């Protein structure tokens, strides 16, 4: 796979967003840089051998100064690896092939990680359970299996499952779905209005109120208003 030339305008999509799905290696260079010309073919060859497990992008910092400033580059060549939108490793200066190989090897997913990723992508209950046998605290597998269990009505099992990992946006929604179930949008206003009179003294009513808001989501324009009303009733 050929290296991708990235500019200030495409950095967000080609590096930050893409790194949420695959490791992205950024090679910062300039036409006048001799060591850059030495390193370039080496890193391209090593990354190409990963068969897409690692993606290489190249940035001409003379033409794209904002990217160089973002990385606080003091000299080039400079190489940075990003995963999930964050820098996880890097090096500066031209390196021999065996050093570049070791650097890339440290970034590529192991065979087990690759297998787990493929099982999660399968998405069926059997595959997800195998993934969790291999990595019991895998958040993606737990989230996907929790959603399947709730959809199948096995809510207690789903709630027990998500307790394995720290609470996050996905597990909060799974828990809310398990406790409340999916409710038609046109029922939410009447239910929330009725619950408001109970939330101060009734823990179950308060939890149901919060769960409904969780299922509505922050994008629903009513959510912020109902959260303010909840705060007023509680305090």
């Amino acid at each position: 796979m050929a290296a991708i030339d990235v500019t200030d305008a495409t950095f967000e999509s080609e590096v930050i967003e893409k790194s949420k799905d695959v490791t992205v290696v950024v090679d910062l260079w300039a036409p006048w840089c001799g060591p850059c010309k030495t390193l370039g073919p080496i890193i391209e060859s090593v990354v190409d051998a990963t068969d897409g497990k690692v993606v290489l992008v190249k940035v001409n910092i003379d033409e794209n100064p904002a990217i160089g400033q973002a990385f606080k580059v003091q000299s080039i060549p400079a190489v940075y690896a990003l995963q999930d939108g964050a820098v996880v490793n890097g090096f500066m200066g031209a390196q021999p092939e065996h050093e570049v190989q070791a650097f890339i090897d440290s970034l590529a997913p192991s065979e087990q990680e690759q297998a787990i990723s493929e099982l999660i992508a399968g998405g069926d209950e059997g595959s997800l359970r195998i993934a969790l046998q291999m990595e019991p605290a895998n958040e993606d597998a737990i989230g996907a299996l929790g959603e399947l269990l709730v959809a199948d009505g096995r809510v207690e099992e789903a709630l027990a499952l998500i307790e394995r990992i720290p609470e996050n946006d996905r597990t909060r929604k799974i828990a809310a779905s398990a406790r409340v179930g999916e409710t038609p949008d046109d029922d939410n206003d009447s239910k929330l209005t009725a619950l408001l009179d109970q939330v101060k003294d009734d823990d179950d009513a308060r939890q149901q109120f919060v769960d409904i808001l969780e299922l509505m989501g922050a994008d629903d324009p009513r959510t912020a208003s109902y959260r303010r009303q909840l705060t007023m009733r509680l305090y």
Side-chain angles (χ1 to χ4, degrees), residues 150-186:
V150 170
D152 196 41
R154 289 176 281 172
V155 297
E156 295 300 327
E157 188 177 355
L159 290 171
L161 176 68
I162 61 177
E163 288 181 358
R164 291 189 191 180
I165 58 176
E167 184 182 84
N168 56 46
D169 290 344
R170 190 175 190 180
T171 61
R172 280 194 295 272
K173 188 168 185 178
I174 292 169
S177 296
R179 289 188 291 257
V180 175
E182 296 294 339
T183 59
D185 288 344
D186 55 6

Side-chain angles (χ1 to χ4, degrees), residues 89-118:
N89 205 349
F91 65 84
M92 296 176 65
Q95 303 289 327
E97 184 171 351
H98 72 276
E99 293 288 350
V100 174
Q101 185 69 63
F103 174 77
I104 298 301
D105 287 346
S106 73
L107 302 171
S110 66
E111 290 186 8
Q112 176 168 311
E113 290 170 335
Q114 187 68 26
I116 290 172
S117 178
E118 291 173 0

Side-chain angles (χ1 to χ4, degrees), residues 52-74:
K53 294 178 182 178
V54 177
V55 172
L56 176 66
V57 303
K58 299 178 74 68
V59 178
N60 181 336
I61 62 168
D62 283 352
E63 297 177 353
N64 302 282
I67 297 176
Q69 292 170 8
F71 284 107
K72 299 180 181 178
V73 174
Q74 296 181 342

Side-chain angles (χ1 to χ4, degrees), residues 119-131:
L119 287 165
I120 294 172
D124 61 278
E125 182 174 344
S127 296
L128 293 170
R129 290 194 181 280
I130 293 172

